[in-house]
Amino acid sequence: MSVVCTHCRAEFPTEKGFTYRRTHSSEGVYTCPTCVARGAETRFLAWASAAFAITAIGASPRTFGLPAQGGFELLFFGAFGITWILQYFVHELAHACAAWMLGVQVFSISIGSGSRSAYEGQWFGCRVTVGTIPLGGSIICLPRTRRWARLREFLIVLAGPLSNIGCLIGAMGVASEASKESPWLYISTAVLAVNLIRLPLMLFPAKVFDDGRVSSNDGRRLLIAFRRTAEQIERSLSARYRFEATRALRCGRPEEAHRWLDLGESRYPTDSIYAIARSVLFLFEDRFQEGREAILSLMEKDSALANNGGLQNNLAWANLNLGDPLLLQEAAFLSESALRQDPHNYSCMGTRGSVLVELNEVEKAIPHLKNALWGHYFKPHKALIQCYLALAMLKLKDARQAEEYLAAARRLDPRCRLLPRVERAVASCAPSSPAATST
């Protein structure tokens, strides 16, 4: 059963990820995952703005006509909110520094699990991502050798709570030296309170829901670090080659990415992850026929992969770009199936919207494309989405809006492969000049 979001009018083939609220009308209000994320982002920004405003007022109470004591109490509450956010940065950076010191390769540091990216960059060969809701965090680090793998993992995990303990001790020292009239007393008390709350939460062994996956918090990871099997360690060693290839690809070095995949396949020939990564690499290089053949080969070998939403989305994208009308119908089926399995995935939304544009179902396509544009951070992907939005606008006879989307795509990625096609389409729809019409 398909469901239409009440807010953005995007049509999804499943209710998965939707929220439903009863109203006086018989239909009620359905909210899609993207609109839920938009609402959460708006509420967080309001909360963060309030925390900064309260901190500013509390830091200089007399400026706002408040007594010093009352202002400093406001300062405590504002500093508490800001410290709660900043502690995630300190905590994850402690994990990463411990990994670097122990010779473990750090591939990514993420702050704000489950939200879209507000910032992405490369720091010392490590991908750093900060979400628009910077609550929660994780790092991806993988060992280069089996030697002391369990002990190194234990120490890397332990570094996070130790950073909180360090902040706790530092805040106690500042608080003990500060006078009652000093704002530092209230700031250090806020830091103290945040760490006293967070330490038990992170050290009590539990499973947590992180970015759509069930993972372990630091307390549970400390307990199981020494119980890791040789097979699990081997999987970590194998995964390193895939992440090296991904990093090379993001840095614009596809040849190096292929070399890393070749090296991984030679050492772990039975691991299908390298074939999956290579099929994705083909799509990034616009080698769509090779990518399609690689994905079909994987699906034939493993029936479980035939129903994998990520592979279905990739196959739909390859079919779409090959330009065969028969493959376009297959892409429509695959993109719908992929979106049904993962309605939170902005890549699936973008593929689905692009396919619907080619099928001339423009009204259904535009909400998916706009949601994907909102959620994506990677500029080449955003440029492709802008190009398809321009094509959709041309089908709706809105040349001015199409030109705006085209200009935005040029700014994002001047080498986008869809630009020539969209430019020709926009030029063909442009009104003739007065000189041309007179002749």
Side-chain angles (χ1 to χ4, degrees):
M1 182 188 74
S2 62
V3 183
V4 177
C5 176
T6 308
H7 306 282
C8 68
R9 308 308 301 169
E11 183 178 340
F12 286 75
T14 177
E15 292 183 8
K16 181 180 175 182
F18 272 71
T19 61
Y20 175 74
R21 179 168 56 85
R22 290 181 178 275
T23 60
H24 296 297
S25 65
S26 58
E27 293 183 356
V29 175
Y30 284 94
T31 308
C32 73
T34 304
C35 290
V36 170
R38 281 195 182 101
E41 190 175 303
T42 302
R43 289 190 293 273
F44 173 79
L45 288 174
W47 174 83
S49 301
F52 278 104
I54 289 170
T55 304
I57 294 170
S60 54
R62 288 190 176 87
T63 306
F64 297 91
L66 295 173
Q69 191 65 28
F72 288 157
E73 288 171 0
L74 284 177
L75 178 61
F76 168 80
F77 290 107
F80 183 92
I82 294 171
T83 303
W84 191 275
I85 297 171
L86 293 179
Q87 278 295 150
Y88 287 108
F89 290 84
V90 174
H91 184 90
E92 299 306 329
L93 192 59
H95 284 310
C97 288
W100 279 319
M101 291 170 65
L102 292 167
V104 175
Q105 183 71 48
V106 181
F107 288 98
S108 73
I109 303 172
S110 299
I111 307 294
S113 301
S115 60
R116 66 178 181 139
S117 296
Y119 168 80
E120 287 188 13
Q122 291 283 335
W123 294 6
F124 306 106
C126 170
R127 183 187 175 201
V128 178
T129 306
V130 181
T132 50
I133 305 178
L135 301 175
S138 62
I139 73 166
I140 296 176
C141 59
L142 298 168
R144 294 185 175 93
T145 65
R146 300 174 188 83
R147 184 177 176 81
W148 304 108
R150 296 179 183 86
L151 177 60
R152 283 186 293 181
E153 180 176 350
F154 179 86
L155 293 174
I156 291 167
V157 175
L158 184 63
L162 285 179
S163 71
N164 291 89
I165 294 172
C167 291
L168 190 67
I169 295 170
M172 289 173 65
V174 173
S176 65
E177 296 293 330
S179 64
K180 289 185 178 180
E181 291 77 24
S182 171
W184 290 107
L185 174 64
Y186 297 88
I187 294 173
S188 59
T189 306
V191 175
L192 192 68
V194 167
N195 286 283
L196 281 173
I197 293 171
R198 289 197 60 197
L199 267 170
L201 293 176
M202 72 177 65
L203 289 176
F204 183 79
K207 290 184 177 181
V208 293
F209 191 72
D210 177 26
D211 202 11
R213 304 182 305 272
V214 177
S215 60
S216 300
N217 70 350
D218 285 352
R220 189 168 185 275
R221 288 171 63 199
L222 287 171
L223 285 179
I224 64 176
F226 287 105
R227 300 205 307 241
R228 291 193 71 194
T229 63
E231 182 182 352
Q232 289 173 324
I233 294 172
E234 204 66 27
R235 279 206 298 268
S236 296
L237 292 169
S238 172
R240 186 174 77 86
Y241 297 98
R242 177 171 62 90
F243 279 101
E244 290 281 12
T246 302
R247 181 167 61 180
L249 182 60
R250 283 189 169 272
C251 293
R253 302 191 298 267
E255 298 84 4
E256 183 182 336
H258 278 292
R259 287 198 296 272
W260 277 111
L261 293 179
D262 291 338
L263 187 58
E265 275 184 313
S266 66
R267 296 190 179 183
Y268 302 95
T270 59
D271 196 339
S272 63
I273 194 66
Y274 296 109
I276 296 173
R278 197 178 296 280
S279 69
V280 174
L281 183 53
F282 284 143
L283 298 184
F284 266 86
E285 295 178 296
D286 296 342
R287 296 160 63 180
F288 298 110
Q289 186 60 45
E290 291 172 86
R292 170 181 160 77
E293 291 170 0
I295 296 169
L296 289 175
S297 175
L298 280 164
M299 290 180 168
E300 289 172 4
K301 291 177 182 176
D302 189 346
S303 58
L305 292 178
N307 297 316
N308 181 281
L311 280 181
Q312 288 182 336
N313 180 67
N314 292 345
L315 183 56
W317 182 249
N319 288 347
L320 171 66
N321 286 278
L322 287 172
D324 188 328
L326 294 177
L327 294 181
L328 183 60
Q329 295 300 321
E330 184 180 271
F333 170 79
L334 290 167
S335 62
E336 182 179 5
S337 177
L339 192 61
R340 182 183 294 112
Q341 294 182 56
D342 193 358
H344 300 83
N345 192 312
Y346 296 115
S347 294
C348 293
M349 295 178 203
T351 302
R352 180 63 180 163
S354 303
V355 170
L356 290 172
V357 169
E358 298 293 359
L359 291 172
N360 294 318
E361 297 183 38
V362 180
E363 299 292 344
K364 292 182 179 180
I366 290 173
H368 286 303
L369 290 171
K370 287 184 175 180
N371 286 345
L373 184 65
W374 180 83
H376 264 301
Y377 186 87
F378 193 47
K379 288 185 178 180
H381 288 174
K382 289 174 76 77
L384 286 168
I385 296 167
Q386 297 273 19
C387 285
Y388 271 108
L389 279 168
L391 293 173
M393 290 301 121
L394 289 175
K395 291 176 185 287
L396 293 176
K397 309 299 182 184
D398 189 345
R400 184 186 63 80
Q401 189 69 51
E403 287 176 358
E404 290 179 6
Y405 281 123
L406 174 59
R410 282 198 198 102
R411 289 193 298 270
L412 288 165
D413 184 11
R415 296 178 297 176
C416 178
R417 58 179 184 77
L418 274 181
L419 282 177
R421 176 188 170 189
V422 180
E423 287 167 351
R424 289 194 299 271
V426 169
S428 66
C429 292
S432 302
S433 64
T437 53
S438 63
T439 56

